[in-house]
Amino acid sequence: MAAMAAAGTLACSASELVARGRESAAVLQAMLGQLQPAAGAGAAPHGLRDLAEQILRCCDRALAALLSDHTETEEEDTSRKRKPVSERGGPADVPPAAMMRSSKRMRLSRRERGTRVEKKGTMEDGFIWRKYGQKDIHGSNYPRLYFRCTYKDDHGCMARRQVQQSDADPSVYLITYFHEHTCCRDGAVEPPPAPFVINFGSKNGSGGSPSWPPSCDDDDCMVSPETTKLALCNSPEGDEELRAGTADEEDAEFTVKQQSTPVHELMGILGSPEWDAMAAGCLDWELGYDEMSSFDVDGFFRYDIDYLGLL
DNA sequence: CGGATTTGACCATA
DNA sequence: TATGGTCAAATCCG
């Protein structure tokens, strides 16, 4: 019992670290993208953008794996309490169609926790979501919106999210994620083609290069598929502020403020022994989740973030 | 016309 | 029984 609690705490801590690393990787990818227009002496070495994308994908997978580990355990516990449809014995006059609907209904246990993210100004996260429901929540001024992955049918991606505006600050969206995106694994969905430039540096997106997220005044504004396809697996979260944590761990939240780092500082790292060590660490992630148990995640991300001067 | 969204109903859980 | 999550028919939209 205590071991399970400890494991849960460890998973929360690790997911925070992975999320932080993911933010750093997104910034790194953005900076590499900014190098593109200046092709020549200052241009990003070939393959670095691919590496940045790889880091992002690794972080996404690791985060999803960490979360699914303990949420699936909880699901097992609650599912045992649920009677199979055949045993529920619905009313005799229930039409077959209604029974079919009932059996297809896959509900989350209220005990099942997702990953909570607070986003300011937009609910966009780079993934393509399909809204499947909306509900007025008792005691809340704003309805809760329910989304699932657009590729649920195509690739069986079970990723879902719930979005609700904050009562305290309507410009803040409380987003809770459930399950991992499987739609961008194994090439099910093509990763963004290079070059892909994300402008993280300014809040107003000025500067001429394409920016993420696209400007949108309407709170319900959804990003066009043409735009979103470019970031399917990377989900660059280019908001001025992002807070993330597990939905049941208030104290586990942390804040990441993204800043613009001069490109020349980044370029100073490339090719150095430090960079090689960082790259090797990222590539090792591709070996699988088992290897992560012996990987110094905390040290890696502290090193990464400190070196880039993002904190 | 096909895909996405809306919305009322259904159902599980606390 | 109240509340919240999901379904699916109706509707909207490009």
Side-chain angles (χ1 to χ4, degrees):
Chain A
M1 207 52 167
M4 287 180 61
T9 305
L10 183 63
C12 290
S13 175
S15 62
E16 291 167 29
L17 293 166
V18 174
R20 292 175 64 173
R22 194 198 172 289
E23 288 300 312
S24 297
V27 175
L28 171 61
Q29 189 186 41
M31 291 187 292
L32 289 174
Q34 287 178 347
L35 294 176
Q36 184 62 20
H46 181 70
L48 284 179
R49 282 189 301 275
D50 289 343
L51 182 59
E53 291 169 9
Q54 195 172 31
I55 296 170
L56 280 167
R57 276 197 291 274
C58 288
C59 290
D60 283 338
R61 288 192 200 176
L63 190 57
L66 283 167
L67 294 167
S68 62
D69 277 352
H70 63 274
T71 55
E72 282 171 7
T73 302
E74 290 180 348
E75 233 176 355
E76 284 178 9
D77 290 341
T78 55
S79 64
R80 280 196 216 103
K81 298 176 184 174
R82 206 175 300 172
K83 287 183 180 179
V85 175
S86 58
E87 294 179 21
R88 268 186 246 141
D93 58 345
V94 172
M99 292 298 291
M100 177 70 79
R101 197 178 3 170
S102 168
S103 65
K104 283 169 63 179
R105 199 166 291 217
M106 299 289 286
R107 294 175 58 88
L108 278 180
S109 163
R110 289 189 198 181
R111 290 174 53 207
E112 183 175 357
R113 307 294 185 175
T115 308
R116 189 181 61 196
V117 173
E118 297 181 16
K119 299 196 72 176
K120 210 167 187 179
T122 180
M123 66 177 76
E124 291 307 322
D125 57 11
F127 288 101
I128 305 178
W129 300 96
R130 174 177 293 185
K131 185 178 177 183
Y132 67 87
Q134 176 175 326
K135 194 79 176 180
D136 289 325
I137 300 302
H138 185 74
S140 181
N141 295 331
Y142 302 95
R144 181 172 297 166
L145 313 179
Y146 300 89
F147 299 87
R148 65 177 167 231
C149 180
T150 293
Y151 300 101
K152 176 179 181 290
D153 295 330
D154 292 347
H155 304 300
C157 180
M158 296 305 293
R160 281 177 296 143
R161 73 170 182 174
Q162 299 174 2
V163 179
Q164 189 167 14
Q165 275 182 275
S166 169
D167 286 337
D169 184 358
S171 67
V172 172
Y173 293 90
L174 308 174
I175 307 176
T176 306
Y177 294 89
F178 299 93
H179 295 288
E180 63 178 303
H181 274 279
T182 56
C183 56
C184 52
R185 279 187 180 177
D186 305 322
V189 174
E190 287 298 318
F196 177 48
V197 180
I198 316 168
N199 189 348
F200 281 94
S202 62
K203 292 182 181 180
N204 56 14
S206 62
S209 58
S211 65
W212 186 276
S215 62
C216 179
D217 295 331
D218 186 351
D219 287 345
D220 295 328
C221 166
M222 302 301 288
V223 175
S224 68
E226 290 79 11
T227 304
T228 319
K229 275 175 184 172
L230 293 174
L232 268 178
C233 297
N234 294 342
S235 61
E237 288 146 348
D239 301 297
E240 53 200 68
E241 181 175 349
L242 179 147
R243 293 165 59 81
T246 51
D248 55 342
E249 284 284 331
E250 283 292 328
D251 297 335
E253 292 187 359
F254 60 91
T255 301
V256 174
K257 291 183 187 289
Q258 293 177 168
Q259 302 173 347
S260 177
T261 301
V263 168
H264 69 268
E265 290 184 17
L266 170 67
M267 294 309 293
I269 307 172
L270 303 179
S272 67
E274 289 82 0
W275 171 264
D276 289 339
M278 291 165 66
C282 292
L283 291 173
D284 283 345
W285 273 24
E286 278 294 84
L287 296 175
Y289 303 127
D290 291 340
E291 284 80 353
M292 287 185 64
S293 58
S294 60
F295 180 63
D296 182 12
V297 175
D298 190 7
F300 171 77
F301 285 125
R302 199 181 315 115
Y303 181 78
D304 172 27
I305 294 169
D306 288 348
Y307 212 111
L308 292 176
L310 296 176
L311 289 179

